[in-house]
Amino acid sequence: MSVEDLTAEQIMTRVLVTVTAEESPLMAWELMRRADVHHLPVVDDACHVLGILTREDVAATWCGGGPDEHSRRQVRSLLGRRRLPKVGPGQTLSRITCVMLDVGCDAVPVVSAAGRLLGLITVSDVLKAVSGRAARDEEQGRTRESGEVRTGLFHLSPVLPPD
């Protein structure tokens, strides 16, 4: 199998931290910092992708206000109206890179036929695949016997002090 024939499910990152559109940019920033990620999928309650939030999105809208001001805003206000390409788990690396180049994005969500988030492909994932360093199926959570793709999505909710 050539590199171009690798599929999204073979190269995507499956263990993701997500955030809801109602969450604050301050919480999103903290999640990205703690998880050491540059992209946070923004999802609804049914785990459908509404957008991809980047560190640059948060930093570009950071104003001189303090934490209280940033905790009152919502992530939804940072998503803007840019196109959000999505790919299916069977899409080839060749097709995925074309989508990323055409739209000018550095991360693409991988979604099921029902539109649920399965994983995320970033430029780093593409580079790992091209260099031959993509993780083996077992390391990425795919079981050869069943063909099942396991995905881990984590949503962290803040614990607020009592009023």
Side-chain angles (χ1 to χ4, degrees):
M1 174 182 282
S2 71
V3 171
E4 294 86 12
D5 294 330
L6 289 172
T7 63
E9 69 182 351
Q10 292 172 308
I11 65 169
M12 69 184 182
T13 299
R14 287 181 173 77
V15 179
L16 302 172
V17 176
T18 64
V19 67
T20 63
E22 295 78 27
E23 195 56 76
S24 73
L26 184 63
M27 177 57 75
W29 181 266
E30 186 63 16
L31 289 173
M32 284 188 256
R33 188 185 70 76
R34 288 183 183 224
D36 194 27
V37 296
H38 296 268
H39 303 89
L40 270 185
V42 181
V43 297
D44 63 14
D45 292 335
C47 213
H48 294 108
V49 184
L50 305 175
I52 301 291
L53 186 68
T54 67
R55 283 187 180 187
E56 290 79 16
D57 294 332
V58 178
T61 61
W62 208 260
C63 57
D68 188 49
E69 182 179 330
H70 293 291
S71 65
R72 285 190 299 244
R73 292 175 37 218
Q74 291 186 343
V75 164
R76 115 176 35 254
S77 68
L78 305 182
L79 293 179
R81 299 205 179 272
R82 68 177 164 231
R83 290 174 42 199
L84 177 65
K86 300 172 188 167
V87 297
Q91 291 288 310
T92 63
L93 178 59
S94 178
R95 176 71 185 127
I96 294 163
T97 56
C98 285
V99 167
M100 293 173 85
L101 287 169
D102 289 347
V103 177
C105 64
D106 58 355
V108 178
V110 180
V111 297
S112 69
R116 292 181 53 88
L117 180 63
L118 298 175
L120 188 69
I121 297 175
T122 66
V123 170
S124 294
D125 296 317
V126 172
L127 291 173
K128 286 177 191 172
V130 170
S131 69
R133 294 184 182 178
R136 293 188 343 258
D137 286 349
E138 296 84 11
E139 293 169 356
Q140 280 289 319
R142 181 177 176 82
T143 57
R144 290 183 195 270
E145 299 81 32
S146 67
E148 174 188 357
V149 177
R150 294 187 204 138
T151 301
L153 302 177
F154 298 94
H155 174 76
L156 304 179
S157 298
V159 177
L160 302 175
D163 290 331

